Amino acid sequence: MANYVATARSNYFKVKDPEAFKDWVEGCPDIGLFSRDDGSFAVYSDDPDSGSWPTFKWDEDTGDHVEFDLFAEIAEFLVDGEIAVFMEVGAEKLRYCNGYAIAVHSNGEYETLNL
């Protein structure tokens, strides 16, 4: 049996409050952060198992993992008019190869492209 292994990262984008965004990333599971001198950021999956974007995070209040929408949450940080593009490519050995990109606008709307 083979495991799905992916690589996922975003483009660079600007956020309204860089410190709040960095704090938010710290609280997300398996997300890494790149930054540039111009104040823009990119995120990547740091998941040691699959490399995919996380869909669950720990909730201190309930003491359990809860589902969350990474893309919708990042949209709230984006500067007005900014677009963040989340890309992932992966494969399960050579049986199943796939790729997709999700472009998220600061107003919360998004478009998805699947390969």
Side-chain angles (χ1 to χ4, degrees), residues 20-63:
F21 181 68
K22 289 177 193 176
D23 289 343
W24 177 82
V25 170
E26 283 287 320
C28 283
D30 302 321
I31 293 288
L33 184 68
F34 297 123
S35 62
R36 287 187 172 163
D37 291 338
D38 67 357
S40 61
F41 296 95
V43 293
Y44 62 93
S45 172
D46 199 18
D47 182 336
D49 295 323
S50 72
S52 294
W53 295 112
T55 55
F56 287 88
K57 65 181 177 180
W58 185 257
D59 185 327
E60 293 292 335
D61 295 334
T62 64

Side-chain angles (χ1 to χ4, degrees), residues 43-110:
V43 293
Y44 62 93
S45 172
D46 199 18
D47 182 336
D49 295 323
S50 72
S52 294
W53 295 112
T55 55
F56 287 88
K57 65 181 177 180
W58 185 257
D59 185 327
E60 293 292 335
D61 295 334
T62 64
D64 198 6
H65 287 95
V66 294
E67 198 167 1
F68 82 113
D69 186 341
L70 171 75
F71 313 117
E73 289 192 21
I74 285 184
E76 295 177 21
F77 288 99
L78 295 175
V79 168
D80 289 342
E82 195 75 6
I83 295 174
V85 180
F86 300 89
M87 301 160 278
E88 180 177 318
V89 294
E92 182 181 323
K93 291 244 179 189
L94 290 176
R95 289 184 287 210
Y96 306 105
C97 298
N98 74 335
Y100 71 90
I102 298 174
V104 180
H105 191 274
S106 59
N107 66 9
E109 294 180 11
Y110 63 90

